[in-house]
Amino acid sequence: MSADLPAEDAKLVTLARAARARTRAAEGASVRDTDGRTYAACTVQLDTVRLSALQLAVAMAVSSGVQGIEAAAVVTEADEVDVEVVRYFGGAALPVVVANGNGEVRDVVHT
């Protein structure tokens, strides 16, 4: 992981990696709410339902009653990450760390 990544954001990458590894999913994601609690999830791909890891992590946070999100991380090999769900729930200019399967940060995009 990047030495420039704050410890709280590095934790998000670790949680996203663990979520992905548990199920061998295409993606793992985690979010941190405005109270500092974290939620992690992996991609769900069934015949009739497809949720990205980031969508599911945000849904878990929302279903827990959070009032806002302050940061997120996605572990994926995909070239692009759709951060719309974070923007919709958390607002503009929130950081979303994008890392590969080894936890190496590829980018930090903002909503």
Side-chain angles (χ1 to χ4, degrees):
M1 269 184 268
S2 172
D4 297 335
L5 202 60
E8 289 181 338
D9 291 347
K11 176 184 175 184
L12 289 176
V13 173
T14 299
L15 291 171
R17 285 184 70 207
R20 181 180 185 236
R22 273 193 302 276
T23 61
R24 302 186 205 314
E27 294 179 345
S30 61
V31 297
R32 184 175 57 250
D33 70 19
T34 53
D35 291 329
R37 294 174 295 194
T38 56
Y39 305 84
C42 63
T43 305
V44 172
Q45 191 160 351
L46 305 172
D47 291 339
T48 57
V49 177
R50 172 143 174 38
L51 294 170
S52 73
L54 195 53
Q55 289 170 331
L56 188 53
V58 169
M60 291 172 64
V62 171
S63 70
S64 296
V66 304
Q67 298 301 305
I69 292 174
E70 65 180 24
V74 179
V75 172
T76 184
E77 300 304 327
D79 292 332
E80 293 186 24
V81 174
D82 182 1
V83 298
E84 185 62 30
V85 68
V86 177
R87 181 181 302 112
Y88 180 80
F89 184 70
L94 296 179
V96 179
V97 178
V98 180
N100 66 19
N102 295 325
E104 297 167 350
V105 176
R106 295 187 346 225
D107 198 4
V108 177
V109 296
H110 291 84
T111 60

